[in-house]
Amino acid sequence: MNSTKKTLMGKTLLGKTLLSITLSLSVALTGSLAVPAAKVEAATSSTASSVIATGQKFLGVNYKFGATAGSTSSFDCSSFTQYVFKKNGITLPRSSVSQSKAGKYVSKSNLKAGDLIFSDTNRDGVINHVSIYMGNGKLLHTYRKGLGVTISTFSGSTWDKTYVTARRVI
């Protein structure tokens, strides 16, 4: 009887030990997988904040259709987004149509700060405007001579009513 108790106790202790090791490994592995995801999200929001901060430095800079790429004396919508993103290590094509194919699609309901919003303000089926979504329903962009780089409300605006797509390039 005494040796039976020892064997049962040995099996019980072995079972508890294995269970403890399994749980510890599970927690350790799950925790290590969660950390990089949080770091990626933080890096993304940090990049978005940097892109927006860079763009805000140019508030009021003149609008000029066909502005020279890389110039900061005037911008059109796509030269503005191209310049601001490039300053933050992200290369975009020059035109709004080309930019609308960069990165990955994001639905209007899932917009995050730093996403690019594309509109067809001429209502002719061709994308002709790009803006940077700032979050909280605001856009950072340029579109009109005399106004220059500005912040606009997205909801109910011309850009909302003529919205075509959005892309995440960060």
Side-chain angles (χ1 to χ4, degrees):
M1 184 92 144
N2 205 6
S3 72
T4 307
K5 276 187 179 179
K6 284 182 184 176
T7 305
L8 288 175
M9 285 178 62
K11 286 183 181 177
T12 303
L13 287 174
L14 179 61
K16 285 182 180 178
T17 303
L18 286 174
L19 179 62
S20 177
I21 291 170
T22 303
L23 286 173
S24 296
L25 284 171
S26 176
V27 168
L29 291 174
T30 303
S32 69
L33 291 175
V35 172
K39 286 182 180 177
V40 168
E41 189 172 315
T44 301
S45 64
S46 172
T47 302
S49 295
S50 294
V51 164
I52 291 165
T54 301
Q56 286 178 312
K57 291 178 185 176
F58 297 100
L59 286 171
V61 170
N62 291 328
Y63 172 84
K64 179 182 176 188
F65 181 76
T68 305
S71 170
T72 59
S73 60
S74 63
F75 294 106
D76 64 13
C77 64
S78 57
S79 72
F80 175 67
T81 54
Q82 183 186 46
Y83 183 85
V84 168
F85 278 85
K86 185 174 184 174
K87 284 294 179 187
N88 287 277
I90 299 166
T91 302
L92 292 175
R94 173 62 180 87
S95 73
S96 56
V97 171
S98 296
Q99 288 178 14
S100 73
K101 297 171 185 154
K104 67 177 188 172
Y105 167 79
V106 60
S107 67
K108 195 176 190 181
S109 61
N110 287 315
L111 290 170
K112 290 184 179 179
D115 288 343
L116 294 172
I117 294 178
F118 299 91
S119 304
D120 169 16
T121 59
N122 292 336
R123 301 173 195 245
D124 61 2
V126 179
I127 289 170
N128 65 343
H129 185 69
V130 58
S131 52
I132 303 168
Y133 186 69
M134 298 177 72
N136 299 316
K138 299 292 183 187
L139 301 176
L140 179 60
H141 59 156
T142 187
Y143 64 94
R144 187 174 77 202
K145 198 170 186 146
L147 183 62
V149 176
T150 191
I151 296 171
S152 301
T153 299
F154 180 54
S155 182
S157 69
T158 297
W159 306 282
D160 183 13
K161 292 174 184 172
T162 60
Y163 171 92
V164 175
T165 191
R167 305 296 286 190
R168 186 161 295 148
V169 296
I170 296 174

